[in-house]
PDB file of all heavy atoms in Angstrom:
ATOM      1  N   GLU A 982      -1.651   1.217  28.781  1.00 88.00           N
ATOM      2  CA  GLU A 982      -0.785   2.345  28.472  1.00 88.00           C
ATOM      3  C   GLU A 982      -0.190   2.850  29.766  1.00 88.00           C
ATOM      4  O   GLU A 982      -0.823   2.810  30.819  1.00 88.00           O
ATOM      5  CB  GLU A 982      -1.597   3.463  27.807  1.00 88.00           C
ATOM      6  CG  GLU A 982      -0.785   4.694  27.512  1.00 88.00           C
ATOM      7  CD  GLU A 982      -1.604   5.782  26.859  1.00 88.00           C
ATOM      8  OE1 GLU A 982      -2.752   6.013  27.281  1.00 88.00           O
ATOM      9  OE2 GLU A 982      -1.096   6.417  25.933  1.00 88.00           O
ATOM     10  N   THR A 983       1.011   3.325  29.678  1.00 88.00           N
ATOM     11  CA  THR A 983       1.584   4.048  30.782  1.00 88.00           C
ATOM     12  C   THR A 983       2.087   5.369  30.250  1.00 88.00           C
ATOM     13  O   THR A 983       2.592   5.433  29.125  1.00 88.00           O
ATOM     14  CB  THR A 983       2.699   3.249  31.490  1.00 88.00           C
ATOM     15  OG1 THR A 983       3.126   3.965  32.637  1.00 88.00           O
ATOM     16  CG2 THR A 983       3.869   2.984  30.587  1.00 88.00           C
ATOM     17  N   GLN A 984       1.886   6.416  30.988  1.00 88.00           N
ATOM     18  CA  GLN A 984       2.376   7.734  30.607  1.00 88.00           C
ATOM     19  C   GLN A 984       3.346   8.161  31.695  1.00 88.00           C
ATOM     20  O   GLN A 984       2.959   8.318  32.850  1.00 88.00           O
ATOM     21  CB  GLN A 984       1.227   8.720  30.453  1.00 88.00           C
ATOM     22  CG  GLN A 984       0.304   8.343  29.321  1.00 88.00           C
ATOM     23  CD  GLN A 984      -0.746   9.398  29.047  1.00 88.00           C
ATOM     24  OE1 GLN A 984      -0.852  10.411  29.728  1.00 88.00           O
ATOM     25  NE2 GLN A 984      -1.543   9.170  28.025  1.00 88.00           N
ATOM     26  N   ILE A 985       4.598   8.319  31.301  1.00 91.00           N
ATOM     27  CA  ILE A 985       5.670   8.615  32.240  1.00 91.00           C
ATOM     28  C   ILE A 985       6.108  10.054  32.043  1.00 91.00           C
ATOM     29  O   ILE A 985       6.452  10.455  30.928  1.00 91.00           O
ATOM     30  CB  ILE A 985       6.859   7.660  32.006  1.00 91.00           C
ATOM     31  CG1 ILE A 985       6.390   6.209  32.128  1.00 91.00           C
ATOM     32  CG2 ILE A 985       8.004   7.961  32.971  1.00 91.00           C
ATOM     33  CD1 ILE A 985       7.337   5.205  31.516  1.00 91.00           C
ATOM     34  N   GLY A 986       6.083  10.830  33.107  1.00 92.00           N
ATOM     35  CA  GLY A 986       6.524  12.222  33.040  1.00 92.00           C
ATOM     36  C   GLY A 986       5.608  13.115  33.854  1.00 92.00           C
ATOM     37  O   GLY A 986       4.484  12.746  34.205  1.00 92.00           O
ATOM     38  N   GLU A 987       6.103  14.299  34.153  1.00 93.00           N
ATOM     39  CA  GLU A 987       5.343  15.233  34.980  1.00 93.00           C
ATOM     40  C   GLU A 987       4.015  15.643  34.353  1.00 93.00           C
ATOM     41  O   GLU A 987       3.006  15.718  35.060  1.00 93.00           O
ATOM     42  CB  GLU A 987       6.195  16.463  35.309  1.00 93.00           C
ATOM     43  CG  GLU A 987       5.540  17.426  36.273  1.00 93.00           C
ATOM     44  CD  GLU A 987       5.085  16.782  37.586  1.00 93.00           C
ATOM     45  OE1 GLU A 987       5.741  15.844  38.064  1.00 93.00           O
ATOM     46  OE2 GLU A 987       4.047  17.225  38.130  1.00 93.00           O
ATOM     47  N   PRO A 988       3.932  15.893  33.029  1.00 89.00           N
ATOM     48  CA  PRO A 988       2.618  16.245  32.472  1.00 89.00           C
ATOM     49  C   PRO A 988       1.571  15.153  32.713  1.00 89.00           C
ATOM     50  O   PRO A 988       0.420  15.450  33.031  1.00 89.00           O
ATOM     51  CB  PRO A 988       2.893  16.420  30.970  1.00 89.00           C
ATOM     52  CG  PRO A 988       4.345  16.756  30.881  1.00 89.00           C
ATOM     53  CD  PRO A 988       4.989  15.981  31.999  1.00 89.00           C
ATOM     54  N   ALA A 989       1.974  13.890  32.592  1.00 88.00           N
ATOM     55  CA  ALA A 989       1.037  12.785  32.832  1.00 88.00           C
ATOM     56  C   ALA A 989       0.690  12.682  34.314  1.00 88.00           C
ATOM     57  O   ALA A 989      -0.459  12.405  34.670  1.00 88.00           O
ATOM     58  CB  ALA A 989       1.631  11.475  32.327  1.00 88.00           C
ATOM     59  N   ALA A 990       1.675  12.894  35.173  1.00 91.00           N
ATOM     60  CA  ALA A 990       1.416  12.836  36.616  1.00 91.00           C
ATOM     61  C   ALA A 990       0.404  13.897  37.021  1.00 91.00           C
ATOM     62  O   ALA A 990      -0.478  13.640  37.850  1.00 91.00           O
ATOM     63  CB  ALA A 990       2.717  13.002  37.389  1.00 91.00           C
ATOM     64  N   GLN A 991       0.489  15.082  36.419  1.00 90.00           N
ATOM     65  CA  GLN A 991      -0.474  16.135  36.726  1.00 90.00           C
ATOM     66  C   GLN A 991      -1.882  15.738  36.283  1.00 90.00           C
ATOM     67  O   GLN A 991      -2.850  15.964  37.022  1.00 90.00           O
ATOM     68  CB  GLN A 991      -0.058  17.443  36.048  1.00 90.00           C
ATOM     69  CG  GLN A 991       1.173  18.064  36.660  1.00 90.00           C
ATOM     70  CD  GLN A 991       1.659  19.277  35.881  1.00 90.00           C
ATOM     71  OE1 GLN A 991       0.968  19.794  35.010  1.00 90.00           O
ATOM     72  NE2 GLN A 991       2.852  19.741  36.204  1.00 90.00           N
ATOM     73  N   LEU A 992      -2.001  15.123  35.107  1.00 86.00           N
ATOM     74  CA  LEU A 992      -3.316  14.664  34.651  1.00 86.00           C
ATOM     75  C   LEU A 992      -3.877  13.585  35.568  1.00 86.00           C
ATOM     76  O   LEU A 992      -5.072  13.557  35.852  1.00 86.00           O
ATOM     77  CB  LEU A 992      -3.222  14.099  33.234  1.00 86.00           C
ATOM     78  CG  LEU A 992      -3.318  15.076  32.079  1.00 86.00           C
ATOM     79  CD1 LEU A 992      -3.205  14.341  30.749  1.00 86.00           C
ATOM     80  CD2 LEU A 992      -4.616  15.857  32.121  1.00 86.00           C
ATOM     81  N   ALA A 993      -3.028  12.682  36.017  1.00 87.00           N
ATOM     82  CA  ALA A 993      -3.477  11.560  36.850  1.00 87.00           C
ATOM     83  C   ALA A 993      -4.062  12.027  38.176  1.00 87.00           C
ATOM     84  O   ALA A 993      -4.872  11.320  38.778  1.00 87.00           O
ATOM     85  CB  ALA A 993      -2.320  10.590  37.092  1.00 87.00           C
ATOM     86  N   ARG A 994      -3.665  13.194  38.629  1.00 92.00           N
ATOM     87  CA  ARG A 994      -4.174  13.712  39.909  1.00 92.00           C
ATOM     88  C   ARG A 994      -5.523  14.408  39.763  1.00 92.00           C
ATOM     89  O   ARG A 994      -6.164  14.735  40.758  1.00 92.00           O
ATOM     90  CB  ARG A 994      -3.149  14.673  40.517  1.00 92.00           C
ATOM     91  CG  ARG A 994      -1.891  13.973  41.021  1.00 92.00           C
ATOM     92  CD  ARG A 994      -0.992  14.908  41.814  1.00 92.00           C
ATOM     93  NE  ARG A 994      -0.275  15.861  40.999  1.00 92.00           N
ATOM     94  CZ  ARG A 994       0.950  15.687  40.502  1.00 92.00           C
ATOM     95  NH1 ARG A 994       1.602  14.569  40.741  1.00 92.00           N
ATOM     96  NH2 ARG A 994       1.519  16.626  39.783  1.00 92.00           N
ATOM     97  N   GLN A 995      -5.973  14.646  38.548  1.00 91.00           N
ATOM     98  CA  GLN A 995      -7.241  15.354  38.341  1.00 91.00           C
ATOM     99  C   GLN A 995      -8.426  14.426  38.585  1.00 91.00           C
ATOM    100  O   GLN A 995      -8.370  13.235  38.316  1.00 91.00           O
ATOM    101  CB  GLN A 995      -7.317  15.901  36.918  1.00 91.00           C
ATOM    102  CG  GLN A 995      -6.327  17.008  36.642  1.00 91.00           C
ATOM    103  CD  GLN A 995      -6.461  17.529  35.228  1.00 91.00           C
ATOM    104  OE1 GLN A 995      -7.486  17.362  34.579  1.00 91.00           O
ATOM    105  NE2 GLN A 995      -5.417  18.185  34.744  1.00 91.00           N
ATOM    106  N   ILE A 996      -9.500  15.013  39.124  1.00 93.00           N
ATOM    107  CA  ILE A 996     -10.747  14.276  39.330  1.00 93.00           C
ATOM    108  C   ILE A 996     -11.864  15.101  38.705  1.00 93.00           C
ATOM    109  O   ILE A 996     -12.009  16.275  39.034  1.00 93.00           O
ATOM    110  CB  ILE A 996     -11.013  14.057  40.838  1.00 93.00           C
ATOM    111  CG1 ILE A 996      -9.897  13.203  41.420  1.00 93.00           C
ATOM    112  CG2 ILE A 996     -12.368  13.407  41.053  1.00 93.00           C
ATOM    113  CD1 ILE A 996      -9.973  13.055  42.927  1.00 93.00           C
ATOM    114  N   PRO A 997     -12.645  14.535  37.787  1.00 92.00           N
ATOM    115  CA  PRO A 997     -12.521  13.185  37.262  1.00 92.00           C
ATOM    116  C   PRO A 997     -11.244  13.055  36.428  1.00 92.00           C
ATOM    117  O   PRO A 997     -10.709  14.046  35.928  1.00 92.00           O
ATOM    118  CB  PRO A 997     -13.770  12.999  36.399  1.00 92.00           C
ATOM    119  CG  PRO A 997     -14.197  14.381  36.029  1.00 92.00           C
ATOM    120  CD  PRO A 997     -13.745  15.271  37.159  1.00 92.00           C
ATOM    121  N   ASN A 998     -10.778  11.828  36.271  1.00 87.00           N
ATOM    122  CA  ASN A 998      -9.511  11.554  35.611  1.00 87.00           C
ATOM    123  C   ASN A 998      -9.684  11.624  34.093  1.00 87.00           C
ATOM    124  O   ASN A 998     -10.357  10.776  33.505  1.00 87.00           O
ATOM    125  CB  ASN A 998      -9.001  10.181  36.030  1.00 87.00           C
ATOM    126  CG  ASN A 998      -7.606   9.921  35.513  1.00 87.00           C
ATOM    127  OD1 ASN A 998      -7.369   9.977  34.321  1.00 87.00           O
ATOM    128  ND2 ASN A 998      -6.697   9.636  36.423  1.00 87.00           N
ATOM    129  N   PRO A 999      -9.090  12.625  33.441  1.00 86.00           N
ATOM    130  CA  PRO A 999      -9.276  12.766  31.996  1.00 86.00           C
ATOM    131  C   PRO A 999      -8.662  11.608  31.198  1.00 86.00           C
ATOM    132  O   PRO A 999      -9.157  11.282  30.121  1.00 86.00           O
ATOM    133  CB  PRO A 999      -8.601  14.091  31.661  1.00 86.00           C
ATOM    134  CG  PRO A 999      -7.703  14.385  32.804  1.00 86.00           C
ATOM    135  CD  PRO A 999      -8.271  13.696  34.002  1.00 86.00           C
ATOM    136  N   MET A1000      -7.607  10.984  31.710  1.00 84.00           N
ATOM    137  CA  MET A1000      -7.011   9.862  30.984  1.00 84.00           C
ATOM    138  C   MET A1000      -7.945   8.655  30.986  1.00 84.00           C
ATOM    139  O   MET A1000      -8.166   8.032  29.948  1.00 84.00           O
ATOM    140  CB  MET A1000      -5.653   9.492  31.566  1.00 84.00           C
ATOM    141  CG  MET A1000      -4.562  10.479  31.164  1.00 84.00           C
ATOM    142  SD  MET A1000      -2.923   9.919  31.604  1.00 84.00           S
ATOM    143  CE  MET A1000      -2.845  10.402  33.314  1.00 84.00           C
ATOM    144  N   LEU A1001      -8.499   8.323  32.129  1.00 86.00           N
ATOM    145  CA  LEU A1001      -9.425   7.187  32.186  1.00 86.00           C
ATOM    146  C   LEU A1001     -10.659   7.447  31.333  1.00 86.00           C
ATOM    147  O   LEU A1001     -11.079   6.594  30.552  1.00 86.00           O
ATOM    148  CB  LEU A1001      -9.824   6.886  33.630  1.00 86.00           C
ATOM    149  CG  LEU A1001      -8.718   6.372  34.547  1.00 86.00           C
ATOM    150  CD1 LEU A1001      -9.249   6.210  35.962  1.00 86.00           C
ATOM    151  CD2 LEU A1001      -8.136   5.081  34.031  1.00 86.00           C
ATOM    152  N   ASN A1002     -11.228   8.628  31.474  1.00 88.00           N
ATOM    153  CA  ASN A1002     -12.431   8.961  30.701  1.00 88.00           C
ATOM    154  C   ASN A1002     -12.125   9.049  29.210  1.00 88.00           C
ATOM    155  O   ASN A1002     -12.924   8.619  28.374  1.00 88.00           O
ATOM    156  CB  ASN A1002     -13.040  10.267  31.199  1.00 88.00           C
ATOM    157  CG  ASN A1002     -13.610  10.128  32.596  1.00 88.00           C
ATOM    158  OD1 ASN A1002     -13.926   9.036  33.047  1.00 88.00           O
ATOM    159  ND2 ASN A1002     -13.727  11.241  33.290  1.00 88.00           N
ATOM    160  N   GLY A1003     -10.971   9.612  28.858  1.00 85.00           N
ATOM    161  CA  GLY A1003     -10.591   9.725  27.455  1.00 85.00           C
ATOM    162  C   GLY A1003     -10.352   8.379  26.801  1.00 85.00           C
ATOM    163  O   GLY A1003     -10.756   8.144  25.660  1.00 85.00           O
ATOM    164  N   HIS A1004      -9.710   7.479  27.527  1.00 82.00           N
ATOM    165  CA  HIS A1004      -9.482   6.148  26.967  1.00 82.00           C
ATOM    166  C   HIS A1004     -10.792   5.377  26.823  1.00 82.00           C
ATOM    167  O   HIS A1004     -10.985   4.645  25.847  1.00 82.00           O
ATOM    168  CB  HIS A1004      -8.475   5.364  27.821  1.00 82.00           C
ATOM    169  CG  HIS A1004      -7.069   5.816  27.593  1.00 82.00           C
ATOM    170  ND1 HIS A1004      -6.432   6.652  28.454  1.00 82.00           N
ATOM    171  CD2 HIS A1004      -6.211   5.558  26.587  1.00 82.00           C
ATOM    172  CE1 HIS A1004      -5.219   6.901  27.986  1.00 82.00           C
ATOM    173  NE2 HIS A1004      -5.064   6.254  26.848  1.00 82.00           N
ATOM    174  N   GLN A1005     -11.706   5.545  27.761  1.00 88.00           N
ATOM    175  CA  GLN A1005     -13.008   4.880  27.627  1.00 88.00           C
ATOM    176  C   GLN A1005     -13.745   5.426  26.406  1.00 88.00           C
ATOM    177  O   GLN A1005     -14.351   4.670  25.651  1.00 88.00           O
ATOM    178  CB  GLN A1005     -13.854   5.053  28.886  1.00 88.00           C
ATOM    179  CG  GLN A1005     -15.144   4.270  28.827  1.00 88.00           C
ATOM    180  CD  GLN A1005     -14.908   2.778  28.709  1.00 88.00           C
ATOM    181  OE1 GLN A1005     -14.167   2.193  29.491  1.00 88.00           O
ATOM    182  NE2 GLN A1005     -15.508   2.134  27.709  1.00 88.00           N
ATOM    183  N   ALA A1006     -13.681   6.740  26.192  1.00 88.00           N
ATOM    184  CA  ALA A1006     -14.322   7.331  25.016  1.00 88.00           C
ATOM    185  C   ALA A1006     -13.686   6.804  23.730  1.00 88.00           C
ATOM    186  O   ALA A1006     -14.378   6.551  22.736  1.00 88.00           O
ATOM    187  CB  ALA A1006     -14.219   8.858  25.068  1.00 88.00           C
ATOM    188  N   TRP A1007     -12.372   6.590  23.731  1.00 82.00           N
ATOM    189  CA  TRP A1007     -11.670   6.053  22.572  1.00 82.00           C
ATOM    190  C   TRP A1007     -12.169   4.636  22.277  1.00 82.00           C
ATOM    191  O   TRP A1007     -12.494   4.286  21.146  1.00 82.00           O
ATOM    192  CB  TRP A1007     -10.186   6.053  22.871  1.00 82.00           C
ATOM    193  CG  TRP A1007      -9.261   5.894  21.702  1.00 82.00           C
ATOM    194  CD1 TRP A1007      -9.583   5.789  20.382  1.00 82.00           C
ATOM    195  CD2 TRP A1007      -7.847   5.841  21.762  1.00 82.00           C
ATOM    196  NE1 TRP A1007      -8.450   5.670  19.627  1.00 82.00           N
ATOM    197  CE2 TRP A1007      -7.375   5.699  20.445  1.00 82.00           C
ATOM    198  CE3 TRP A1007      -6.929   5.899  22.803  1.00 82.00           C
ATOM    199  CZ2 TRP A1007      -6.022   5.608  20.141  1.00 82.00           C
ATOM    200  CZ3 TRP A1007      -5.581   5.814  22.492  1.00 82.00           C
ATOM    201  CH2 TRP A1007      -5.149   5.671  21.179  1.00 82.00           C
TER     202      TRP A1007
END
Side-chain angles (χ1 to χ4, degrees):
E982 177 180 42
T983 186
Q984 295 187 357
I985 303 162
E987 186 54 33
Q991 290 174 12
L992 275 180
R994 290 189 286 267
Q995 292 181 21
I996 297 173
N998 187 303
M1000 284 190 278
L1001 293 176
N1002 292 338
H1004 284 101
Q1005 185 61 52
W1007 196 2

